[in-house]
Amino acid sequence: MATGVRANFQRRGFAFAAVAAAALLVAGCQQAPPEPTPEPSAEARPVGSSQPLAVAFSPLRGTSTDPAAPAHPSLAAKIDNHEDARPQIALNRTDLVFEELVEGGLTRYLAVWHSDLPDDIGPVRSIRPMDPDIASPLGGVIAYSGGQDQFVAMMMATPLVNVVFDLDETGLFSRADERPGPHDVILDAAETMARNAKLAPPPVLFDYGTADPLADPALAAAPTSRIALVFSEGRSPSWDWDAGSSSWLRSQEGVADLEAGGARVRATNVVTLEVGIDWRYGEVPKTVLIGSGEAWVSVGGRTAHGTWAKDAAASPIELTADDASPLRLAPGNTWIELLPERGRASFTP
């Protein structure tokens, strides 16, 4: 508007400009019309009303869960792996399973349930001398059918509550009619844990990462389609990677390993530890788990090499990669294969 006024002043003279200036002065003294007031929105928009969601992680699986869910003890049990004991009950609901050499070249399991507690587990068998070193870090409850007096005394000396078939007078154990003895002892897991609900939950035993924790090139993880292990002439478990289910599928002596109900036994993580064997107890071998040795962690169709170390019965197993970084597991269930030094392990691309 000011530029237009100057242009007219030049063409029509001073008088016209004076009139125009007076008009502008009068207009400037008038108030501008008020801005329209915006109408309120029909729906008020909430601001800052949502609450943050609490997140917890399962100590023995590394999976996310409701904060209240892990606040209970774990249940460890000695599970039979004789041919007549198969199929076992609820192995796929475990958090951890340790496979160990026992007499006669057979293997047995020390299985641990915490995230997903079944009603029943079994078949339950007798304790062995390495089991206190395996179970001590967990706390909670340990269930077994009995054992040599010296082995029972060793387990009784741990912090765990011992639930023993040979000593049970309260009906926690029963025998399954459809199974041959002595591979027929079944534990009422739900009732066992209800009676011991006030015990502390287990601590974290392993480091967990992403769903693909071996992706870092520094770990030098090798593609693996099959893990083949030889514990003895009579025990050769193996695991095949199944990309469709993102899990390792288990076989024993070349036959698909099934749990009761017909599902294939599977694991998110397979940890293979090379261990020494102590023969001080005659024909009963004791896995040497206080010390260190070679380790292989198999996750997501890959295997990374490293070492394991455990400095006391109550200490967890530490897994370290060859580059000195922690060997982490993927969130999920884990099988720990305690492979004797005289055994064999192969990891097929």
Side-chain angles (χ1 to χ4, degrees), residues 75-82 85-91 94 96-100 102 107-113 120-127 131 142-145 173 179 183 185-187 335:
L75 169 62
K78 199 58 186 280
I79 301 298
D80 199 351
N81 191 33
H82 189 279
R86 303 173 189 167
Q88 294 91 345
I89 300 170
L91 284 181
T94 56
L96 307 171
V97 178
F98 295 81
E99 183 170 20
E100 60 192 34
V102 296
T107 63
R108 284 189 185 173
Y109 306 144
L110 194 147
V112 185
W113 289 265
D120 300 310
I121 60 171
V124 177
R125 288 301 301 273
S126 53
I127 210 73
D131 296 327
I142 177 77
Y144 54 98
S145 64
F173 292 91
R179 293 175 179 266
H183 317 287
V185 176
I186 308 300
L187 176 70
W335 278 63

Side-chain angles (χ1 to χ4, degrees), residues 100 110 127-138 142 150-160 286 289-290 310 312-314:
E100 60 192 34
L110 194 147
I127 210 73
R128 289 296 181 270
M130 55 285 214
D131 296 327
D133 292 342
I134 297 173
S136 286
L138 296 163
I142 177 77
Q150 58 183 331
F151 303 154
V152 173
M154 292 162 62
M155 184 56 77
M156 290 283 188
T158 70
L160 285 79
K286 178 189 178 183
L289 206 53
I290 309 300
K310 178 177 167 71

Side-chain angles (χ1 to χ4, degrees), residues 98-272:
F98 295 81
E99 183 170 20
E100 60 192 34
L101 182 70
V102 296
E103 61 273 22
L106 304 181
T107 63
R108 284 189 185 173
Y109 306 144
L110 194 147
V112 185
W113 289 265
H114 180 253
S115 302
D116 182 11
L117 184 67
D119 291 335
D120 300 310
I121 60 171
V124 177
R125 288 301 301 273
S126 53
I127 210 73
R128 289 296 181 270
M130 55 285 214
D131 296 327
D133 292 342
I134 297 173
S136 286
L138 296 163
V141 177
I142 177 77
Y144 54 98
S145 64
Q148 292 187 25
D149 289 346
Q150 58 183 331
F151 303 154
V152 173
M154 292 162 62
M155 184 56 77
M156 290 283 188
T158 70
L160 285 79
V161 171
N162 285 230
V163 177
V164 188
F165 172 67
D166 291 349
L167 305 176
D168 178 45
E169 297 179 353
T170 60
L172 289 176
F173 292 91
S174 61
R175 289 190 180 273
D177 294 338
E178 70 278 10
R179 293 175 179 266
H183 317 287
D184 58 349
V185 176
I186 308 300
L187 176 70
D188 185 336
E191 178 60 23
T192 298
M193 300 313 289
R195 296 184 189 181
N196 294 279
K198 294 184 179 180
L199 296 176
V204 175
L205 292 191
F206 295 104
D207 290 330
Y208 293 91
T210 65
D212 190 12
L214 304 183
D216 188 344
L219 298 175
T224 306
S225 63
R226 182 177 176 81
I227 305 165
L229 308 173
V230 177
F231 277 74
S232 67
E233 291 183 2
R235 283 292 176 266
S236 54
S238 60
W239 299 87
D240 294 291
W241 174 245
D242 179 51
S245 64
S246 297
S247 61
W248 299 98
L249 305 181
R250 182 174 169 85
S251 298
Q252 295 201 79
E253 292 72 69
V255 178
D257 194 11
L258 307 178
E259 65 168 5
R264 184 81 173 268
V265 176
R266 62 188 62 214
T268 301
N269 308 287
V270 177
V271 177
T272 304

